[in-house]
Amino acid sequence: MAGAQPGVHALQLKPVCVSDSLKKGIKFVKWDDDSTIVTPIILRTDPQGFFFYWTDQNKETELLDLSLVKDARCGRHAKAPKDPKLRELLDVGNIGRLEQRMITVVYGPDLVNISHLNLVAFQEEVAKEWTNEVFSLATNLLAQNMSRDAFLEKAYTKLKLQVTPEGRIPLKNIYRLFSADRKRVETALEACSLPSSRVEKANKAAKSEQSCGKAPPKHFHLHFIKQNKMFESACYCFFVRCFGIGTM
C-alpha cells in the first residue's frame, strides 16, 4: 500500500522514567516458601531504574537487577504461601485481603532458570502500582538496549548502592564487579592512586622492612592503608579513564 509505514515508525520508544514512590521506597514484607520467617524491608529503586535494592537484617544491601526481571504479578496471579503459619504471619496487622496485596517478581538469566521474589504490600493499591511500574521498567526497550555509557553508569550505580555505613565503597565489590580481569582492575586503581590489594601487600612489606631498619621504596603508598581499602566515589572519572571506556 502506498500509505503504509514500517512498524518501526509506529513504535514509540519511551525513556526510562522511575516514579517518585519507587525512588523514595515503601515498606513490604518479604517471604520465602523454604522458611517460615518473614522479613520487613523497605524496597527502593535507583533513579535510573537499574536495580531494586533493600537492606536486610544484617544491615547488608541486597540488589535485584531489573534487566533480569521476566514478569511481575500481583493479586491472584502472584505466588501464595502454602504454610498456614506463614500465611497467618503475613496477614497480621494489614489492610485488605492478603491475596490482593501479594506481589511476585519473576527473574533470572533466561525463561528456564528463574527465581521468585515474594512480597506483601500493606495496601492493595500499592501492590498494583508497584507491579505495573516494575513490569514497565523491565520491559522498556531502551533499557534493554542501553548504550556503552549507560552500562558504565549502571556498574557505578551498583557500587554506590552497596556502601559501608560510612558511605564508602568496599574494594572487594570492585573486584567482584570486574572479576574477569583482576590484574587490570589493580593496575587501574594504582594508576588512579587508589587502594588495591597489590598496594596493601606492598605496605605490609614496607612495614616489615621498616622493622628491620630498612627504608621502604618510594613507590609504596602508605597513605592507602589509612583509607581502609575503600574506593572514593569522587575518583570515579579517573577510574573510568584508566579503563579507556566512557569516552568515544
Side-chain angles (χ1 to χ4, degrees), residues 4-11:
Q5 292 182 345
V8 68
H9 293 288
L11 182 63

Side-chain angles (χ1 to χ4, degrees), residues 52-200:
F52 262 165
Y53 66 98
W54 63 92
T55 304
D56 61 14
Q57 295 177 336
N58 297 323
K59 304 299 181 181
E60 293 185 1
T61 301
E62 296 187 38
L63 300 178
L64 173 58
D65 191 337
L66 284 171
S67 66
L68 299 178
V69 173
K70 308 302 179 187
D71 195 11
R73 310 163 184 169
C74 71
R76 61 187 181 89
H77 302 289
K79 196 173 182 180
K82 299 178 181 178
D83 191 335
K85 293 182 179 180
L86 180 58
R87 184 181 181 89
E88 184 179 352
L89 286 173
L90 293 172
D91 202 20
V92 173
N94 294 316
I95 303 174
R97 292 178 298 173
L98 177 62
E99 289 77 8
Q100 298 301 320
R101 292 185 285 106
M102 289 185 173
I103 300 176
T104 298
V105 179
V106 184
Y107 65 95
D110 50 54
L111 294 175
V112 178
N113 302 297
I114 58 173
S115 301
H116 299 87
L117 175 63
N118 301 311
L119 304 167
V120 176
F122 287 85
Q123 296 179 350
E124 296 181 11
E125 294 76 11
V126 173
K128 293 178 181 178
E129 177 188 2
W130 275 69
T131 301
N132 293 334
E133 291 282 350
V134 170
F135 188 79
S136 176
L137 292 173
T139 56
N140 185 285
L141 293 178
L142 290 179
Q144 294 176 357
N145 298 274
M146 295 191 301
S147 65
R148 181 185 60 179
D149 290 343
F151 274 108
L152 180 61
E153 183 180 6
K154 181 177 180 179
Y156 185 54
T157 299
K158 186 175 183 179
L159 292 175
K160 290 196 298 181
L161 291 177
Q162 295 180 305
V163 296
T164 65
E166 294 79 19
R168 295 174 179 266
I169 300 173
L171 182 62
K172 63 179 181 180
N173 288 355
I174 299 175
Y175 287 128
R176 190 179 303 163
L177 186 64
F178 302 102
S179 58
D181 198 344
R182 184 184 177 93
K183 291 184 178 180
R184 189 175 184 182
V185 175
E186 290 179 342
T187 302
L189 289 172
E190 290 177 13
C192 296
S193 298
L194 293 170
S196 69
S197 61
R198 290 195 298 210
V199 172
E200 182 183 11

